[in-house]
Amino acid sequence: MKQLAELAGLDVSTVSRALRGDNKRVAAATIARVQQLAEQTGFVADPNGANLRSGRTHLLGVVVSRLTDIVMGMVVTAIDEAARSRGYLSTVVATHDNTDTRTTAISTLLGRRVDGLILCDSQIGNEIPHQLANHAMPFVFAMRGCDDELSFAADDVYGGHLVAAHFLENGHRDIAVIPGPPQARTAVDRVQGFTTTVRAESGARLRIAPHGGFQVEDGFDAVTALLADRAAPPTAIFCTNDHTAIGASRALVNAGLKIGRDTAVAGYNDLPQSAYLETPLTSVRTDITRMGHAAAEQLIELIEKRTATSLIIKPKLIVRDSTSTPRR
């Protein structure tokens, strides 16, 4: 690296940062020139030597509930992009919302000497893993936030409010919500924002389905149960993510109801597929990429002993055919 610095006419520390792609402290043109020189001269960095010198592995641990969840996949992709731009790599583990699996996963990541952790799987009342309570390891929360720690999440209370206000403005007064898992703060906050707004409207009837999960079958089962009591079906249903909204829609169609005309359905997260369903789905959109980038960038700020700040993103409602017809 010293020889490479002499060739480039730069300090060794600047060359080191340029090779890591640290565009926070090195100009893009300098990074390109140093990396080109490195390729021309056959320079290969020794990560073990760098780790020994810095005391860091330049590895971030990311803990998610499920790898099969599209939204978690979007968050992880954004985290990895931001980490790589700062010279770090990420490694991902899934806990399946199981406390014992989470404990084992975090112990494994600590054993591999990650420089910091991004927790995307927190459960209400059990946000901070016991291994981190008195540990010097930097960590932040993403997707599912935590009031007392650095968090990168959506204002899900506001997101739930947006859906309720939209239903009420369209004339709906018999309204149901499919709440999702009770341990997930995202679900709880969305339901809180939604139910508070509906209950403030005089004459509105609110039905809350039993707690379930975030899967397609959870939405299907919840609506099937709502329709089984022989009462008139609700005219509008809010589901706390798009997967449950898809399942709920199928149950309504199976019962002979038309989405958007007989019963309005709204979801949350605005998955790419949601705009292309047979009846395009109204959904709440949050900038997931921005969330993941910020989580990684601010964690690295902590790791490198600088100040970091939380980010709570305001979502917006994307109205499509599943809710666009006013109730007469």
Side-chain angles (χ1 to χ4, degrees):
M1 193 178 292
K2 184 177 179 181
Q3 292 170 342
L4 192 59
E6 290 172 354
L7 284 171
L10 298 167
D11 293 336
V12 172
S13 60
T14 302
V15 168
S16 175
R17 295 186 185 110
L19 290 170
R20 296 201 306 271
D22 186 351
N23 54 19
K24 293 279 187 178
R25 292 183 285 180
V26 182
T30 302
I31 291 173
R33 184 163 63 91
V34 170
Q35 292 184 349
Q36 184 178 20
L37 274 174
E39 185 176 351
Q40 290 171 352
T41 58
F43 174 85
V44 178
D46 179 357
N48 292 323
N51 293 344
L52 286 170
R53 287 192 298 274
S54 68
R56 298 182 189 143
T57 59
H58 289 88
L59 186 65
L60 307 182
V62 184
V63 185
V64 302
S65 54
R66 284 175 176 79
L67 289 169
T68 53
D69 186 290
I70 296 173
V71 177
M72 287 293 181
M74 294 166 67
V75 173
V76 166
T77 298
I79 288 170
D80 191 63
E81 288 172 351
R84 287 176 184 272
S85 74
R86 296 285 295 272
Y88 286 74
L89 293 176
S90 62
T91 184
V92 185
V93 294
T95 64
H96 306 284
D97 278 326
N98 181 282
T99 302
D100 293 338
T101 303
R102 188 190 203 210
T103 298
T104 301
I106 290 174
S107 294
T108 299
L109 291 172
L110 293 175
R112 292 183 180 177
R113 298 183 60 244
V114 296
D115 289 335
L117 290 168
I118 300 177
L119 306 174
C120 307
D121 73 326
S122 63
Q123 297 185 3
I124 292 174
N126 188 32
E127 287 89 350
I128 301 175
H130 70 85
Q131 302 104 306
L132 301 180
N134 297 302
H135 201 284
M137 171 69 63
F139 65 91
V140 301
F141 290 84
M143 197 69 197
R144 300 181 186 180
C146 178
D147 290 335
D148 300 324
E149 302 290 342
L150 281 170
S151 295
F152 304 86
D155 184 346
D156 286 317
V157 173
Y158 178 68
H161 159 76
L162 289 176
V163 178
H166 173 61
F167 283 168
L168 294 169
E169 287 166 7
N170 271 9
H172 295 283
R173 293 298 181 271
D174 188 353
I175 299 171
V177 58
I178 313 300
Q183 75 277 8
R185 177 169 177 169
T186 46
V188 171
D189 283 356
R190 292 165 192 175
V191 171
Q192 178 188 333
F194 182 82
T195 57
T196 299
T197 303
V198 173
R199 284 171 174 154
E201 178 71 17
S202 176
R205 177 190 181 191
L206 177 65
R207 307 191 214 180
I208 302 176
H211 283 293
F214 274 146
Q215 307 307 309
V216 172
E217 56 269 26
D218 295 310
F220 181 89
D221 292 344
V223 170
T224 299
L226 277 176
L227 299 178
D229 65 5
R230 299 186 182 277
T235 66
I237 299 175
F238 172 46
C239 302
T240 51
N241 76 353
D242 285 0
H243 288 118
T244 51
I246 291 169
S249 297
R250 172 45 56 190
L252 290 167
V253 170
N254 286 358
L257 299 169
K258 184 172 177 59
I259 307 302
R261 187 188 67 191
D262 298 318
T263 303
V265 178
Y268 207 105
N269 289 326
D270 195 29
L271 298 179
Q273 301 93 319
S274 298
Y276 299 95
L277 298 174
E278 183 174 353
T279 302
L281 179 67
T282 292
S283 188
V284 178
R285 179 185 296 170
T286 301
D287 191 340
I288 299 295
T289 298
R290 182 185 174 200
M291 183 188 297
H293 283 171
E297 288 164 359
Q298 294 302 301
L299 176 60
I300 291 169
E301 293 297 296
L302 282 183
I303 291 167
E304 298 183 355
K305 309 299 184 184
R306 291 188 289 274
T307 302
T309 54
S310 293
L311 174 67
I312 305 301
I313 300 172
K314 282 282 188 185
K316 59 183 178 179
L317 184 67
I318 308 301
V319 177
R320 300 193 180 98
D321 292 352
S322 69
T323 69
S324 61
T325 303
R327 190 74 181 169
R328 291 182 172 83

